Amino acid sequence: MALTLTDLTAPQGFERLVLAQDPQAGLRALICLHSTTLGPAAGGCRMWAYADDDAAIHDVTRLARGMTYKNAMADLGLGGGKAVIIGDARTDKTPAMMRAFGEAVDALGGTYWTAEDVGISPADMAHAAEATRFAVGLSGASGDPSPWTAEGVFRCLRVGARHAFGTDDLTGRRVLVQGLGHVGLSLAEKLAAAGARLMVTDIHQAALDDAATRLGATVCAPDAVFDQQMDILAPCALGGVLTRDTAAALTATLVCGAANNQLADDGVADILAARGITYLPDYVVNAGGIISVASEIHGKPDAWRLDRLTAIAGRVDQMLTRARDTDQLPSAVADQMVHDMLTTRRAA
């Protein structure tokens, strides 16, 4: 059976939600376009064994909306979109599946650019690129965006530390990195080099053993994160880790990490603020990866990527200063900044 694309009912405020299926290739994927106001939608492809289609739709729509905000704040000339492939990346993924996914992306005619995300590697994206020119993050081009994401989070974390603690010196600062994937491990390495008292947690023991041996990190169990005394929490796994309960238990003064959609719901930001905890919106600080991908889309050099990483740290400083001066949540200030950008473009 050939590839089929079925338009599903997109949530209010979204432009398009597509179900892509190719049973012969084992593909069942969702592609969501939230906004193309600032340019073609761009965002990675995630592969995950979702419990059901509703869970996959919930994830892809949240992620797509986040990409609109992330790309706008990073000034990339791109809109927001995302894709998810439903399945276990360790056992279900094949080159044929990725080529079929590339065909689905190509069928959207350049309205969506894809790249790797959780469960997808540059090698996987190369298979997708056999069927479309709208697949980026390829080896030999911009490559793995993870180091760029980690560098951006690290720079923003230091800005946040200056606002929260009065200095960006991380020497002796207790930082817990939750999740040691490509981004989390790279961030942990930077934090250790900066002199932080590093704590780590992950579901994979080998990753914990490596961080303990090589970086001198203290290991904590995944279910004991919010029992730890810390200065900074860096969520770098999947989203939703900050619930109303965990926000009430958190001992950190600053939250800055790479995970998307860290807040289980918008009310969690109010709980954090009421407890004197500064939360840096994830879509602002984790933009390094999409900055790297955007350089490939636009044909820009490394200097362009570095300029935008520097600009992101500057926007975090601007966001925190405005939040302090107007007594608003940093997340509310960031959302307003994006709203203003989109409104201005639509009016132009």
Coordinates of all heavy atoms in Angstrom, one line a residue, residues 92-161:
D92 N 11.4 -0.6 16.1 CA 10.5 -0.5 15.0 C 11.0 0.3 13.8 O 10.6 0.2 12.7 CB 9.2 0.2 15.4 CG 8.4 -0.6 16.5 OD1 8.7 -1.8 16.6 OD2 7.7 0.1 17.3
K93 N 12.0 1.1 14.1 CA 12.5 2.0 13.0 C 13.3 1.3 12.0 O 14.2 0.5 12.3 CB 13.4 3.1 13.7 CG 13.9 4.2 12.8 CD 14.5 5.3 13.6 CE 15.6 4.8 14.5 NZ 16.2 5.9 15.3
T94 N 13.1 1.7 10.7 CA 13.8 1.1 9.6 C 14.1 2.2 8.5 O 13.4 3.2 8.5 CB 13.0 0.0 8.9 OG1 11.8 0.6 8.3 CG2 12.6 -1.1 9.8
P95 N 15.1 2.0 7.7 CA 15.3 3.0 6.6 C 14.1 3.2 5.7 O 13.8 4.3 5.3 CB 16.5 2.3 5.8 CG 17.2 1.5 6.8 CD 16.2 1.0 7.7
A96 N 13.4 2.1 5.5 CA 12.2 2.2 4.6 C 11.1 3.1 5.3 O 10.5 4.0 4.7 CB 11.5 0.9 4.4
M97 N 11.0 3.0 6.6 CA 10.1 3.9 7.4 C 10.5 5.3 7.2 O 9.6 6.2 7.0 CB 10.0 3.5 8.8 CG 9.2 4.4 9.7 SD 9.5 4.1 11.5 CE 8.5 2.6 11.6
M98 N 11.8 5.6 7.4 CA 12.2 7.0 7.3 C 12.1 7.5 5.9 O 11.8 8.7 5.7 CB 13.7 7.1 7.8 CG 13.9 6.8 9.3 SD 12.8 7.7 10.4 CE 13.2 9.4 9.9
R99 N 12.3 6.7 4.9 CA 12.1 7.2 3.5 C 10.6 7.5 3.3 O 10.3 8.5 2.6 CB 12.6 6.1 2.5 CG 14.1 6.1 2.3 CD 14.5 5.3 1.1 NE 14.3 3.9 1.4 CZ 15.2 3.1 1.9 NH1 16.4 3.6 2.3 NH2 14.9 1.8 2.1
A100 N 9.7 6.7 3.8 CA 8.3 7.0 3.7 C 7.9 8.3 4.4 O 7.1 9.0 3.9 CB 7.5 5.8 4.3
F101 N 8.6 8.5 5.6 CA 8.3 9.7 6.3 C 8.8 10.9 5.4 O 8.1 12.0 5.4 CB 9.1 9.7 7.6 CG 9.0 11.1 8.3 CD1 7.9 11.6 8.9 CD2 10.2 11.8 8.5 CE1 7.8 12.8 9.5 CE2 10.2 13.1 9.1 CZ 9.0 13.5 9.6
G102 N 10.0 10.7 4.8 CA 10.5 11.8 3.9 C 9.5 12.1 2.8 O 9.3 13.2 2.4
E103 N 8.8 11.1 2.2 CA 7.8 11.2 1.2 C 6.7 12.1 1.7 O 6.1 12.9 1.0 CB 7.3 9.9 0.7 CG 8.4 9.1 -0.1 CD 7.8 7.7 -0.5 OE1 6.6 7.5 -0.4 OE2 8.6 6.9 -0.9
A104 N 6.3 11.8 3.0 CA 5.2 12.5 3.6 C 5.5 14.0 3.7 O 4.7 14.9 3.4 CB 4.8 12.0 4.9
V105 N 6.7 14.3 4.2 CA 7.2 15.7 4.3 C 7.2 16.3 2.9 O 6.8 17.5 2.8 CB 8.6 15.7 5.0 CG1 9.2 17.1 4.9 CG2 8.5 15.2 6.4
D106 N 7.7 15.6 1.9 CA 7.8 16.2 0.6 C 6.4 16.6 0.0 O 6.3 17.5 -0.7 CB 8.5 15.2 -0.3 CG 9.1 15.9 -1.5 OD1 10.1 16.8 -1.3 OD2 8.7 15.7 -2.7
A107 N 5.5 15.7 0.4 CA 4.1 16.0 -0.1 C 3.5 17.3 0.4 O 2.5 17.8 -0.2 CB 3.2 14.8 0.3
L108 N 4.1 17.8 1.5 CA 3.6 19.1 2.0 C 4.2 20.3 1.3 O 3.8 21.4 1.6 CB 3.9 19.2 3.5 CG 3.2 18.1 4.4 CD1 3.6 18.3 5.9 CD2 1.7 18.0 4.2
G109 N 5.0 20.0 0.3 CA 5.4 21.1 -0.6 C 6.3 22.2 0.0 O 6.2 23.3 -0.5
G110 N 7.0 21.9 1.0 CA 7.9 22.9 1.6 C 7.3 23.8 2.7 O 7.9 24.7 3.1
T111 N 6.1 23.4 3.0 CA 5.4 24.2 4.2 C 6.0 23.7 5.5 O 5.8 24.4 6.5 CB 3.9 24.0 4.1 OG1 3.6 22.6 4.2 CG2 3.3 24.6 2.9
Y112 N 6.7 22.6 5.5 CA 7.3 22.0 6.7 C 8.7 21.5 6.5 O 8.9 20.7 5.5 CB 6.4 20.9 7.3 CG 7.0 20.1 8.4 CD1 7.4 20.7 9.6 CD2 7.3 18.7 8.3 CE1 8.0 20.0 10.6 CE2 7.9 18.0 9.3 CZ 8.3 18.6 10.5 OH 8.9 17.9 11.5
W113 N 9.6 21.9 7.3 CA 11.0 21.4 7.2 C 11.2 20.5 8.5 O 10.9 21.0 9.6 CB 12.0 22.5 7.2 CG 12.1 23.3 6.0 CD1 11.3 24.2 5.5 CD2 13.2 23.2 5.0 NE1 11.7 24.7 4.3 CE2 12.8 24.1 3.9 CE3 14.3 22.4 4.9 CZ2 13.7 24.3 2.8 CZ3 15.1 22.6 3.8 CH2 14.8 23.5 2.7
T114 N 11.8 19.3 8.3 CA 11.9 18.4 9.4 C 13.4 18.2 9.8 O 14.3 18.5 9.0 CB 11.3 17.1 9.1 OG1 11.2 16.3 10.3 CG2 12.1 16.3 8.1
A115 N 13.7 17.7 11.0 CA 15.0 17.4 11.4 C 14.9 16.4 12.5 O 13.8 16.0 12.9 CB 15.7 18.7 11.9
E116 N 16.0 16.0 13.1 CA 15.9 15.0 14.2 C 15.5 15.5 15.5 O 15.7 16.7 15.8 CB 17.3 14.2 14.3 CG 18.4 15.1 14.6 CD 19.2 15.5 13.4 OE1 18.6 15.6 12.3 OE2 20.4 15.8 13.5
D117 N 14.9 14.7 16.3 CA 14.5 14.9 17.6 C 14.6 13.6 18.4 O 15.3 12.7 17.9 CB 13.1 15.5 17.7 CG 12.7 16.2 19.0 OD1 13.6 16.1 20.0 OD2 11.6 16.7 19.2
V118 N 14.0 13.5 19.5 CA 14.1 12.3 20.3 C 13.8 11.0 19.5 O 12.8 10.9 18.8 CB 13.1 12.3 21.5 CG1 13.1 11.0 22.3 CG2 13.4 13.5 22.4
G119 N 14.7 10.1 19.5 CA 14.5 8.8 18.8 C 14.9 8.8 17.4 O 14.9 7.8 16.7
I120 N 15.4 10.0 16.9 CA 15.8 10.1 15.5 C 17.2 10.7 15.4 O 17.5 11.7 16.1 CB 14.8 11.0 14.7 CG1 13.4 10.5 14.7 CG2 15.3 11.2 13.2 CD1 13.2 9.2 14.0
S121 N 18.0 10.1 14.6 CA 19.4 10.5 14.5 C 19.7 11.1 13.1 O 18.9 11.1 12.2 CB 20.3 9.2 14.6 OG 20.2 8.4 13.4
P122 N 20.9 11.8 13.0 CA 21.2 12.3 11.6 C 21.2 11.2 10.6 O 20.8 11.5 9.4 CB 22.6 12.9 11.9 CG 22.6 13.3 13.3 CD 21.8 12.2 14.0
A123 N 21.6 10.0 10.9 CA 21.6 8.9 9.9 C 20.2 8.6 9.5 O 19.9 8.3 8.3 CB 22.3 7.7 10.5
D124 N 19.2 8.6 10.5 CA 17.8 8.4 10.1 C 17.3 9.5 9.2 O 16.6 9.3 8.2 CB 17.0 8.4 11.4 CG 17.3 7.3 12.3 OD1 17.7 6.2 11.9 OD2 17.3 7.5 13.6
M125 N 17.7 10.7 9.5 CA 17.2 11.9 8.7 C 17.8 11.8 7.3 O 17.2 12.3 6.4 CB 17.6 13.2 9.4 CG 16.8 14.4 9.0 SD 15.0 14.2 8.9 CE 14.6 13.7 10.6
A126 N 19.0 11.2 7.2 CA 19.6 11.0 5.8 C 18.7 10.1 5.0 O 18.6 10.3 3.8 CB 21.0 10.5 5.9
H127 N 18.1 9.1 5.6 CA 17.2 8.2 4.8 C 15.9 9.0 4.4 O 15.4 8.9 3.3 CB 16.7 7.0 5.7 CG 17.8 6.1 5.9 ND1 18.5 5.4 4.9 CD2 18.4 5.6 7.1 CE1 19.5 4.6 5.4 NE2 19.4 4.7 6.7
A128 N 15.4 9.9 5.3 CA 14.3 10.7 5.0 C 14.6 11.7 3.8 O 13.8 11.9 2.9 CB 13.8 11.5 6.2
A129 N 15.9 12.2 3.8 CA 16.3 13.1 2.8 C 16.4 12.5 1.4 O 16.5 13.2 0.4 CB 17.7 13.7 3.2
E130 N 16.4 11.1 1.4 CA 16.4 10.5 0.1 C 15.1 10.8 -0.7 O 15.1 10.6 -1.9 CB 16.6 9.0 0.2 CG 18.0 8.6 0.8 CD 18.1 7.1 1.1 OE1 17.2 6.4 0.7 OE2 19.1 6.7 1.8
A131 N 14.1 11.1 0.1 CA 12.8 11.3 -0.5 C 12.3 12.8 -0.5 O 11.3 13.1 -1.0 CB 11.7 10.5 0.2
T132 N 13.1 13.7 0.1 CA 12.7 15.1 0.2 C 13.9 16.0 0.4 O 14.9 15.6 1.1 CB 11.7 15.3 1.3 OG1 11.3 16.7 1.3 CG2 12.2 15.0 2.7
R133 N 13.8 17.2 -0.1 CA 14.9 18.2 0.2 C 14.6 19.0 1.4 O 15.3 19.8 1.9 CB 15.1 19.1 -1.0 CG 13.9 20.1 -1.3 CD 14.2 20.9 -2.5 NE 13.2 21.9 -2.8 CZ 13.2 23.2 -2.2 NH1 14.2 23.5 -1.4 NH2 12.3 24.0 -2.5
F134 N 13.4 18.7 2.1 CA 13.0 19.4 3.2 C 13.3 18.7 4.5 O 12.7 18.9 5.6 CB 11.5 19.7 3.2 CG 11.1 20.4 1.9 CD1 10.3 19.8 0.9 CD2 11.5 21.7 1.6 CE1 9.9 20.5 -0.2 CE2 11.2 22.4 0.5 CZ 10.4 21.7 -0.5
A135 N 14.4 17.9 4.5 CA 14.9 17.2 5.7 C 16.3 17.7 5.9 O 17.2 17.7 5.0 CB 14.9 15.7 5.5
V136 N 16.5 18.3 7.1 CA 17.8 18.9 7.5 C 18.4 18.3 8.8 O 17.8 17.4 9.4 CB 17.7 20.4 7.5 CG1 17.5 21.0 6.2 CG2 16.5 20.8 8.4
G137 N 19.5 18.8 9.2 CA 20.2 18.3 10.4 C 21.0 17.1 10.0 O 21.2 16.1 10.7
L138 N 21.5 17.1 8.7 CA 22.3 16.0 8.2 C 23.7 16.0 8.5 O 24.3 17.1 8.6 CB 22.1 16.0 6.6 CG 20.6 16.0 6.2 CD1 20.6 16.1 4.6 CD2 19.8 14.8 6.7
S139 N 24.3 14.9 8.6 CA 25.8 14.8 8.8 C 26.5 15.4 7.5 O 26.0 15.1 6.4 CB 26.2 13.4 9.0 OG 25.7 12.8 10.1
G140 N 27.5 16.2 7.7 CA 28.2 16.8 6.6 C 27.5 18.2 6.3 O 28.1 18.9 5.5
A141 N 26.4 18.5 6.9 CA 25.8 19.8 6.8 C 25.8 20.4 8.2 O 26.8 20.6 8.8 CB 24.4 19.7 6.2
S142 N 24.6 20.7 8.7 CA 24.5 21.3 10.0 C 24.8 20.2 11.1 O 25.2 20.5 12.2 CB 23.2 22.0 10.3 OG 22.1 21.1 10.3
G143 N 24.4 18.9 10.7 CA 24.7 17.8 11.6 C 23.9 17.8 12.9 O 22.8 18.4 12.9
D144 N 24.3 17.0 13.8 CA 23.6 16.8 15.1 C 23.4 18.2 15.8 O 24.4 18.9 16.1 CB 24.3 15.9 16.0 CG 23.6 15.6 17.3 OD1 22.5 16.1 17.5 OD2 24.1 14.8 18.1
P145 N 22.2 18.6 16.0 CA 21.9 19.9 16.7 C 22.1 19.9 18.2 O 22.1 21.0 18.8 CB 20.5 20.3 16.3 CG 19.8 18.9 16.2 CD 20.9 18.0 15.6
S146 N 22.3 18.7 18.8 CA 22.4 18.6 20.2 C 23.4 19.5 20.9 O 23.2 20.2 21.9 CB 22.6 17.2 20.6 OG 21.6 16.3 20.2
P147 N 24.7 19.6 20.3 CA 25.7 20.4 21.0 C 25.3 21.9 21.0 O 25.6 22.6 21.9 CB 27.0 20.2 20.2 CG 26.7 18.8 19.5 CD 25.3 18.7 19.3
W148 N 24.6 22.3 19.9 CA 24.2 23.7 19.8 C 23.1 24.0 20.8 O 23.0 25.1 21.4 CB 23.7 24.0 18.4 CG 24.8 24.0 17.4 CD1 25.3 22.9 16.7 CD2 25.7 25.1 17.1 NE1 26.3 23.2 15.9 CE2 26.6 24.6 16.1 CE3 25.8 26.4 17.5 CZ2 27.6 25.4 15.6 CZ3 26.8 27.2 16.9 CH2 27.7 26.7 16.0
T149 N 22.2 23.0 21.0 CA 21.1 23.2 22.0 C 21.7 23.3 23.4 O 21.4 24.2 24.2 CB 20.2 22.0 22.0 OG1 19.6 21.8 20.7 CG2 19.0 22.1 23.0
A150 N 22.7 22.4 23.7 CA 23.3 22.5 25.0 C 24.1 23.8 25.2 O 24.0 24.3 26.3 CB 24.3 21.3 25.1
E151 N 24.7 24.3 24.2 CA 25.5 25.5 24.4 C 24.5 26.7 24.6 O 24.8 27.6 25.5 CB 26.3 25.8 23.1 CG 27.0 27.1 23.1 CD 28.1 27.2 24.2 OE1 28.6 26.2 24.7 OE2 28.5 28.4 24.5
G152 N 23.4 26.7 23.9 CA 22.4 27.7 24.2 C 21.8 27.7 25.6 O 21.7 28.7 26.2
V153 N 21.5 26.5 26.0 CA 20.9 26.3 27.4 C 22.0 26.8 28.4 O 21.6 27.5 29.4 CB 20.5 24.9 27.7 CG1 20.2 24.7 29.1 CG2 19.4 24.5 26.8
F154 N 23.2 26.4 28.2 CA 24.3 26.8 29.1 C 24.4 28.3 29.2 O 24.5 28.9 30.3 CB 25.6 26.2 28.7 CG 26.8 26.5 29.6 CD1 26.8 26.0 30.9 CD2 27.8 27.3 29.1 CE1 27.9 26.3 31.7 CE2 28.9 27.6 30.0 CZ 28.9 27.1 31.3
R155 N 24.4 29.0 28.1 CA 24.5 30.5 28.1 C 23.3 31.1 28.8 O 23.5 32.1 29.5 CB 24.6 31.0 26.6 CG 25.9 30.6 25.9 CD 26.0 31.3 24.6 NE 27.2 30.8 23.8 CZ 27.7 31.5 22.8 NH1 27.1 32.6 22.4 NH2 28.8 31.0 22.2
C156 N 22.1 30.6 28.5 CA 21.0 31.2 29.1 C 20.9 30.9 30.6 O 20.5 31.7 31.4 CB 19.7 30.6 28.5 SG 19.5 31.1 26.8
L157 N 21.4 29.7 31.0 CA 21.5 29.3 32.4 C 22.4 30.3 33.2 O 22.1 30.7 34.3 CB 22.0 27.9 32.6 CG 22.0 27.3 34.0 CD1 21.8 25.8 33.9 CD2 23.4 27.5 34.7
R158 N 23.5 30.7 32.6 CA 24.4 31.7 33.3 C 23.7 33.0 33.4 O 23.9 33.7 34.4 CB 25.7 31.8 32.5 CG 26.5 30.5 32.6 CD 27.9 30.6 32.0 NE 28.7 31.5 32.9 CZ 30.0 31.5 32.8 NH1 30.7 30.7 32.0 NH2 30.7 32.3 33.7
V159 N 22.9 33.4 32.4 CA 22.2 34.7 32.5 C 21.2 34.6 33.6 O 21.0 35.5 34.4 CB 21.5 35.0 31.1 CG1 20.6 36.2 31.3 CG2 22.5 35.3 30.0
G160 N 20.5 33.5 33.7 CA 19.5 33.2 34.7 C 20.1 33.2 36.1 O 19.6 33.8 37.1
A161 N 21.3 32.6 36.2 CA 22.0 32.6 37.5 C 22.4 34.0 37.9 O 22.3 34.4 39.1 CB 23.3 31.8 37.3

